[in-house]
Amino acid sequence: AGLAARALTRPSLERAVAGLNTFELQVLEAAAICNHSLPAAAVSAAVIRRALGGKVGAAAVRSVIALLQARLLILGGSRNLRVPAEIFEVLGRYPAGLGPSLQETLAQRADLTESQRELWTASLTSPAQVTALVARAPKKARRVLELLTWGPPVGDRGAGASAAGEGGAGTEAGAGTAPEAGRAADTEPAASASPITWLISHGLLATAGDSHVVLPREVALILRGGRTHKDVSATAPQLETAPPTGYRPALGTAQEFADASSGERITEVLQLVELLLQLWAAGGPTLRTGGIGVRELRRVAGELELPESEAAFLIELVASAQLLAPREGDDHWVPSREELMWQQQTPAEQWVQLAWAWLQSPRATWLIGHREQGQIVAPLQRGIDRAWVPQLRHRTLEVLAGTERGAVPNRSDIYTQLKWHSSRSAPHERAVYAFLDHAQWLGILGAGALTNAGRHLLAAADATDLSQEDAAIAEAVTAAQAAIPAEVDEVLVQGDLSIIVPGRPAQNLQWLWQVAQVEQRGAAQVLRLTEESVRAALESGWTAAGIGEKLATVTRADVPQPVEYLLRDVERQIGQVRAYRAQSVITTADAARASEILADASLQELGFEQAGPTVLISSAPLPEVLATLRASGYAPLAEQVAQDAARAARRRPSARGALRVGQPVSITLDDAAPHRALMAIRAGEKQESTGAPDPLIARQRLTALHTAGRTGWITLVDGGGKTQRRLVRVVGLSQGRARLHDVERESELVVQLHRIVAVDP
């Protein structure tokens, strides 16, 4: 009883009704109208089917009724279905475009007694009498009824109906009995009477306030021929589809063409992510109010050669994938610790991580650049998280998944079908189109069609347990790997100083980006050697001869002469001004003392180099240099130097907790919510069972990391009982101890296995 009472509260009913599609809502409205209209009669599936027009299948109607009964929206047995009044109220003021009942409209008539109301009710619920009355009505009055029959049932009363509204039917017809009301139809109204006045006086319309009239529900049902809805369909609207743009049968199947197009896009997206991480290696500045400022966004867009809208989406995407995190102190967004692990993954695994983060993100990224609550929304700004975004994004892609493989549906049809599936809560139209644009940009869609990798990601999102999710994600990685273009290890160097990479560059070509500028990205990239790019390479340690030799090894043809001339010309110009990288700088009063220090055998470990007649530099830290000089009999004077900001900021922040950069959002409860909760519980149980402080488990996982040569996260307990999380590479295991290399701190440590409480590869 307590559960039933709470199920019939308005918030519970509104949530239940909001989850119905158009046909389910029409069945519920039809049942409610049949239940709450006169004359009262038992409601069954057959009655509801006739009310819907009789064109939909009986099995479909019974199936929906069973679903509504399971949700407690329809009660009672199969021959006596009931819709409680609370549910009828939740359906809205005018369900199915029908107005209030005759009981409500006649109750407003102060000129009628109770017995007269009963006679009027019997007369106006009789199809034969209402049909005869309408047939004798003036032409303009019938036109008014035609306009109000299928809703909305409310119309403007007009100027000529005010007098009739005061007297009502009794003023015009004289008496208040049903037979007299029928005789009134035989008497032609006065020439000055308006059609609204005629309809009100005969009870076919009722007043609704001072300036409007309303068509009673039972009268409208008779005018509709007993039907509650004009158009009824048990299936969603069909999608019009077309082949992908540029597709020809000679290129294979449409799905293969879409996957190939997606593979090219995946390659470019990964390149852009890599460039953004390099661009923000020192930090992306934020505004005081949060988010990335317009000036920084324009800089990023210019460096990446992207429109500002695409650059903003890329920033949001990388942050959602936990590859960026805010640095403590100055709130700059920098590459996170998780980015180190991301770099070790294959391109397909990297892309799946990005796509999965986008599917799960609650960020309303289409608002960026638009005014919201009085201010322009910026990338990474707080407050644009929406709980319904992941669900609507998933539903949008599910519509695409329901089409034939390789087919491209019409965008407006996608939105129409989404509206059909949630008629009470129509989706955000701009959001739906933004999802499609982002999916195309990211590579989940290829030439407008859903890719195989995208289908597997949707299957992972629908998984009901962890094993199903892992299997679907693994299949998505395999599909993405098959779509990504094959690696190439040779390039074409041309006389116009361009370098063409005809595919995804292999590892032996990564150095090209250090000596040439990117001119075109994509599956086939174009780089160009310029004076600026060559000068930057020479300043970083390259030589002209070295660049020429490397180019000769990656191209089958000879290196063109213009390239050789450029390399030699830039090399001749460079070197007039020199700069050195050093941790310590020693200056002397004269050149003789500098030569003495440089020749001193006891100072060889400092690795001094002569940058000038009286200037020596060393890569050793300044405290070590000072101590060694003093021990050798020199008396150096230490000057105050600024703190090394790069070293202070070397430790990367964790992106955990930075995925959703806004405030906490409410949880959207849907049919999959119990499955998601169960998966979270099982994941916690799995972590609890596998993360127990068992030295054997820790040794097994560390051995696996050591064998694979990969890095991993460990959680260890120090002598004070505090836990630390470190990113390490296993150097060796022996006698209950692990020798580890700390990747972040660039140091080595030896830890007893019983102090390692968790190993996360």
Side-chain angles (χ1 to χ4, degrees), residues 456 466-476:
H456 292 310
L466 291 175
S467 60
Q468 289 182 6
E469 180 181 307
D470 291 342
I473 288 180
E475 291 175 350

Side-chain angles (χ1 to χ4, degrees), residues 655-674:
R656 299 184 183 277
L659 173 59
R660 295 183 178 183
V661 297
Q663 298 297 324
V665 296
S666 61
I667 299 174
T668 301
L669 297 178
D670 52 22
D671 292 342

Side-chain angles (χ1 to χ4, degrees), residues 203-341:
L204 294 177
L205 288 184
T207 58
D210 295 333
S211 58
H212 291 85
V213 292
V214 65
L215 182 64
R217 184 189 309 148
E218 287 79 2
V219 175
L221 284 172
I222 293 173
L223 296 177
R224 293 182 180 187
R227 296 160 56 194
T228 57
H229 297 81
K230 190 174 185 178
D231 299 310
V232 179
S233 175
T235 58
Q238 295 297 317
L239 295 173
E240 290 186 8
T241 59
T245 304
Y247 168 69
R248 300 188 304 275
L251 300 174
T253 66
Q255 184 65 61
E256 291 172 346
F257 178 81
D259 288 341
S261 176
S262 167
E264 297 178 2
R265 186 62 207 165
I266 290 172
T267 301
E268 187 170 354
V269 168
L270 294 178
Q271 294 167 5
L272 292 171
V273 171
E274 193 67 37
L275 289 173
L276 177 62
L277 293 173
Q278 294 175 8
L279 192 62
W280 275 8
T286 59
L287 302 171
R288 291 183 179 179
T289 56
I292 304 301
V294 175
R295 184 176 301 176
E296 177 64 15
L297 179 60
R298 287 176 180 170
R299 184 181 77 88
V300 171
E303 292 285 347
L304 301 181
E305 299 179 358
L306 291 175
E308 291 184 19
S309 58
E310 294 185 14
F313 174 68
L314 175 65
I315 292 172
E316 286 277 348
L317 175 68
V318 177
S320 295
Q322 297 188 347
L323 304 181
L324 291 173
R327 187 171 59 197
E328 296 181 3
D330 56 6
D331 292 331
H332 279 51
W333 286 77
V334 296
S336 67
R337 291 188 289 177
E338 282 73 11
E339 186 262 344
L340 297 173
M341 301 291 293

Side-chain angles (χ1 to χ4, degrees), residues 144-207:
V144 170
L145 291 177
E146 289 174 1
L147 294 174
L148 299 179
T149 295
W150 289 104
V154 178
D156 191 353
R157 183 171 174 176
S162 58
E166 297 175 0
T171 303
E172 181 97 14
T177 63
E180 290 172 331
R183 286 198 301 270
D186 299 329
T187 305
E188 290 298 326
S192 60
S194 72
I196 299 294
T197 302
W198 193 96
L199 293 169
I200 292 176
S201 65
H202 289 79
L204 294 177
L205 288 184
T207 58

Side-chain angles (χ1 to χ4, degrees), residues 392-410:
L392 179 57
R393 187 185 290 119
H394 186 268
R395 285 166 45 206
T396 302
L397 295 181
E398 277 188 329
V399 174
L400 290 163
T403 61
E404 183 182 356
R405 288 182 176 270
V408 180
N410 185 286

Side-chain angles (χ1 to χ4, degrees), residues 494-701:
Q494 302 190 113
D496 62 352
L497 307 181
S498 64
I499 302 174
I500 300 176
V501 185
R504 184 162 58 92
Q507 192 64 33
N508 69 315
L509 300 181
Q510 297 301 321
W511 63 273
L512 286 172
W513 280 258
Q514 301 176 23
V515 301
Q517 293 180 352
V518 178
E519 191 169 89
Q520 176 182 318
R521 299 188 184 91
Q525 300 184 67
V526 178
L527 309 178
R528 186 170 298 280
L529 292 165
T530 64
E531 289 188 17
E532 293 78 9
S533 67
V534 174
R535 183 180 297 111
L538 296 179
E539 290 174 351
S540 64
W542 286 86
T543 63
I547 296 176
E549 291 173 0
K550 291 281 284 185
L551 286 174
T553 61
V554 296
T555 180
R556 293 186 179 182
D558 294 335
V559 177
Q561 280 189 339
V563 174
E564 297 178 350
Y565 293 158
L566 174 67
L567 296 176
R568 288 201 295 265
D569 288 346
V570 175
E571 189 174 43
R572 278 196 301 267
Q573 298 171 10
I574 202 168
Q576 301 299 322
V577 177
R578 294 185 176 274
Y580 298 88
R581 181 186 299 275
Q583 288 203 52
S584 305
V585 179
I586 304 298
T587 62
T588 60
D590 50 49
R593 179 55 62 92
S595 300
E596 179 185 348
I597 295 175
L598 193 62
D600 194 332
S602 63
L603 302 178
Q604 293 300 315
E605 61 182 11
L606 297 180
F608 279 123
E609 294 182 19
Q610 191 164 15
T614 61
V615 180
L616 301 177
I617 61 174
S618 171
S619 59
L622 184 58
E624 181 182 344
V625 171
L626 293 174
T628 307
L629 285 173
R630 286 168 182 156
S632 299
Y634 300 95
L637 177 64
E639 298 288 346
Q640 295 293 330
V641 294
Q643 182 182 3
D644 188 351
R647 176 174 289 273
R650 179 173 295 175
R651 291 192 62 190
R652 296 185 175 196
S654 174
R656 299 184 183 277
L659 173 59
R660 295 183 178 183
V661 297
Q663 298 297 324
V665 296
S666 61
I667 299 174
T668 301
L669 297 178
D670 52 22
D671 292 342
H675 300 298
R676 290 199 299 268
L678 186 60
M679 289 170 61
I681 293 171
R682 287 176 176 168
E685 291 175 347
K686 181 179 179 181
Q687 183 177 0
E688 183 69 18
S689 62
T690 58
D694 187 340
L696 180 60
I697 295 178
R699 184 181 181 86
Q700 289 175 345
R701 294 194 167 190

Side-chain angles (χ1 to χ4, degrees), residues 430-507:
R430 193 170 68 174
V432 172
Y433 294 148
F435 295 155
L436 295 173
D437 290 337
H438 292 163
Q440 180 69 44
W441 190 92
L442 187 55
I444 293 178
L445 303 184
L450 186 63
T451 62
N452 280 323
R455 293 178 186 274
H456 292 310
L457 287 172
L458 283 178
D462 292 331
T464 56
D465 58 60
L466 291 175
S467 60
Q468 289 182 6
E469 180 181 307
D470 291 342
I473 288 180
E475 291 175 350
V477 171
T478 303
Q481 184 64 45
I484 295 175
E487 286 188 345
V488 295
D489 55 5
E490 291 184 347
V491 298
L492 178 63
V493 183
Q494 302 190 113
D496 62 352
L497 307 181
S498 64
I499 302 174
I500 300 176
V501 185
R504 184 162 58 92
Q507 192 64 33

